[in-house]
């Protein structure tokens, strides 16, 4: 498929490489507001300056693209995605879908009206370790989920940029991976959230880079989510450390290690074993791409289409409301439910 890529920053250049390496995609247009970024991307894609544009309008007009990949900062996702969908392109966008609830709703509405495929790249689902854990849970190895604890404590300095300026950088730019994964592994929908956010004294983030949230899920299970980019050390990897407990046992993930505990009776562990992550032929964004091309080609509903992803994004916006008000809030409020019912 012929692709326009918008945004060629740190993560965008990785996408340029993936789109170049992937056998079924060809970059026909690169868009960025920075000439430096375009030059770097052009070298990876091995294309001429005639494929480089400073606006999406020019790229759409001068290429015969079929799809677009959006890798700009979140605040620009809405304009790019909506323009592409209206021009008849199928879209993959980086997470998060957008930075405000109204932008997300506008994207979902446009995807519905234009009937183009619009997928958010939740690559976290397709990391071998996380994919393996999801499979264990989906196969019923730990039974019905009752409680989950996530500790994402990763002191990380991006050296400036949009994350250091956001009001709640981890909740808006990072937690969507973890929230989406919660829905994916449990098959449950979140009902309420409560929590607090703060900024450690030493933090070089302007906004609150630490938070502690409790989600109540549709079967009554609770998920405790503790996260910080301001930790004094790297106590988890980017996946976070997980303890997922069901009525038959527990699966844990800690810094690359998966352990499965069989607990058939009350609290006594019967067996405990380390599980090796599954070998996957494609993973992360390459699997996102593969699923997307398959969906467009064969008319299959892809995973992480915006109609599903909006429910993961609802967790982000409800979490923001909860930490701002200090109250327990519904994840899907009436306005949200009304929107979902029209799709
Ligand atoms: N899934 C992941 O693992 C992962 C990792 C990193 C970043 N991301 C996501 O990727 C996106 C980009 O992050 P990044 O780290 O590459 O950011 P970045 O700031 O390094 O790069 C953004 C690029 O977009 C360009 N840009 C800004 N506004 C634009 C516009 N209106 N039109 C065209 N180009 C524009 C900038 O010039 C820059 O080159 C974000 O949504 C981020 O959350 C995802």
């Amino acid at each position: 498929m012929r692709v326009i890529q918008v945004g060629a920053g740190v993560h965008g250049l990785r996408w340029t490489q993936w789109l170049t390496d992937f056998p079924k995609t060809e970059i026909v247009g690169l868009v960025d507001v920075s000439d430096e970024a375009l030059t770097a991307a052009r070298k990876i894609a091995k294309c001429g300056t005639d494929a480089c544009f400073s606006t999406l309008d020019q790229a759409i007009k001068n290429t015969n693209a079929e799809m677009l990949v959006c890798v700009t900062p979140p605040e620009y996702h809405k304009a790019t995605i909506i323009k592409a969908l209206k021009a008849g392109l199928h879209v993959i966008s980086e997470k998060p879908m957008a930075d405000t609830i109204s932008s997300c709703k506008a994207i979902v509405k446009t995807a519905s009206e234009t009937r183009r495929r619009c997928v958010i790249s939740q690559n976290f689902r397709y990391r071998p370790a996380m994919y393996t854990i999801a499979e264990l849970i989906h196969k019923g190895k730990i039974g019905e989920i009752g409680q989950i604890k996530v500790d994402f404590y990763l002191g990380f300095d991006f050296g400036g940029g949009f994350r250091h300026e956001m009001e709640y950088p981890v909740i808006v730019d990072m937690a969507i991976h973890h929230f989406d994964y919660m829905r994916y592994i449990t098959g449950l929908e979140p009902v309420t959230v409560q929590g607090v956010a703060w900024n450690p004294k030493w933090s070089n983030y302007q906004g609150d880079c630490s938070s502690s949230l409790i989600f109540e899920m549709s079967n009554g299970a609770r998920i405790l989510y503790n996260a910080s980019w301001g930790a004094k050390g790297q106590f988890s990897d980017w996946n976070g450390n997980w303890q997922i407990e069901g009525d038959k046992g527990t699966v844990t993930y800690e810094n690359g290690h998966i352990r499965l505990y069989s607990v058939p009776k009350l609290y006594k562990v019967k067996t405990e074993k380390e599980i090796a992550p599954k070998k996957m032929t494609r993973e992360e964004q390459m699997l996102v791409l593969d699923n997307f091309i398959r969906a467009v080609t064969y008319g299959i509903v892809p995973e992480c289409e915006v109609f599903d992803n909006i429910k993961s994004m609802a967790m982000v916006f409800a979490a923001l409301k909860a930490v701002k008000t200090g109250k327990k809030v519904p994840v899907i409020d009436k306005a949200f439910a009304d929107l979902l019912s029209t799709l």
Side-chain angles (χ1 to χ4, degrees):
M1 283 182 85
R2 296 181 296 275
V3 193
I4 293 173
Q5 181 188 327
V6 185
V10 175
H11 195 52
L13 293 180
R14 298 177 192 138
W15 267 104
T16 312
Q17 190 68 60
W18 293 321
L19 290 165
T20 304
D21 293 346
F22 194 72
K24 292 178 188 160
T25 49
E26 177 199 359
I27 295 180
V28 293
L30 290 162
V31 183
D32 202 295
V33 290
S34 148
D35 286 341
E36 210 180 310
L38 283 175
T39 304
R42 189 168 62 74
K43 284 186 183 157
I44 295 171
K46 296 189 177 56
C47 47
T49 48
D50 55 341
C52 295
F53 304 94
S54 57
T55 69
L56 178 54
D57 283 324
Q58 290 167 358
I60 290 173
K61 198 168 154 215
N62 292 289
T63 62
N64 53 355
E66 298 155 282
M67 65 176 272
L68 175 141
V69 174
C70 174
V71 205
T72 63
E75 63 184 296
Y76 306 111
H77 288 185
K78 175 190 164 191
T80 299
I81 296 172
I82 289 184
K83 189 162 283 187
L85 292 171
K86 287 190 172 167
L89 307 188
H90 299 285
V91 174
I92 297 177
S93 174
E94 258 308 331
K95 45 55 64 174
M97 187 189 308
D99 61 334
T100 67
I101 200 160
S102 61
S103 294
C104 288
K105 286 178 179 174
I107 290 168
V108 172
K109 195 164 165 281
T110 312
S112 171
E113 284 164 4
T114 57
R115 298 184 169 270
R116 300 288 90 186
R117 292 288 180 211
C118 185
V119 163
I120 306 303
S121 177
Q122 297 289 174
N123 57 296
F124 184 97
R125 289 187 181 200
Y126 309 125
R127 294 182 165 169
M130 304 321 272
Y131 198 83
T132 305
I133 292 169
E135 266 196 354
L136 291 172
I137 296 168
H138 294 159
K139 283 182 183 159
K141 297 284 183 195
I142 61 168
E144 190 190 348
I145 305 293
Q147 52 189 19
I148 297 179
K149 180 166 73 80
V150 186
D151 286 326
F152 173 68
Y153 282 94
L154 180 68
F156 197 82
D157 182 5
F158 290 90
F162 64 91
R163 296 172 186 89
H164 286 267
E165 289 157 20
M166 282 174 159
E167 207 179 351
Y168 297 99
V170 175
I171 295 178
V172 172
D173 191 62
M174 182 65 216
I176 181 64
H177 277 308
H178 303 129
F179 294 173
D180 180 70
Y181 189 68
M182 291 168 189
R183 290 184 53 241
Y184 173 54
I185 55 170
T186 63
L188 301 168
E189 291 300 340
V191 181
T192 63
V193 60
Q194 54 193 308
V196 287
W198 66 95
N199 206 18
K201 269 190 182 161
W202 55 80
S203 161
N204 67 346
Y205 289 87
Q206 286 174 30
D208 286 352
C209 71
S210 300
S211 51
S212 184
L213 305 167
I214 303 176
F215 286 99
E216 180 185 356
M217 306 303 279
S218 44
N219 71 342
R222 299 294 198 277
I223 303 182
L224 275 57
Y225 179 75
N226 303 310
S228 180
W229 266 337
K232 281 278 189 187
Q234 284 73 45
F235 302 107
S236 76
D237 60 22
W238 289 88
N239 296 330
N241 292 330
W242 293 67
Q243 182 172 315
I244 308 159
E245 301 178 26
D247 57 7
K248 291 188 195 157
T250 295
V251 59
T252 61
Y253 174 86
E254 202 179 335
N255 295 309
H257 295 279
I258 305 168
R259 297 196 81 77
L260 179 65
Y261 300 77
S262 164
V263 193
K265 295 203 177 134
L266 199 50
Y267 308 122
K268 196 161 186 266
V269 176
K270 189 175 166 200
T271 60
E272 176 191 336
K273 58 181 170 184
E274 179 141 5
I275 306 281
K278 196 183 159 82
K279 296 245 179 313
M280 298 168 72
T281 41
R282 288 196 205 288
E283 54 189 70
E284 302 236 14
Q285 281 83 357
M286 286 303 226
L287 187 49
V288 171
L289 259 177
D290 201 30
N291 288 344
F292 180 82
I293 303 279
R294 211 186 295 270
V296 171
T297 309
Y298 301 110
I300 304 163
V301 176
E303 267 186 25
C304 308
E305 205 168 17
V306 286
F307 308 117
D308 178 74
N309 194 257
I310 188 84
K311 295 179 200 161
S312 302
M313 285 305 298
M315 295 172 79
V316 172
F317 296 117
L320 289 177
K321 196 170 174 186
V323 299
K324 282 179 187 173
T325 60
K327 291 187 176 149
K328 185 197 244 191
V329 301
V331 172
I332 306 280
D333 62 14
K334 168 131 182 19
F336 224 109
D338 287 350
L339 172 89
L340 293 175
S341 70
T342 64
L343 299 174

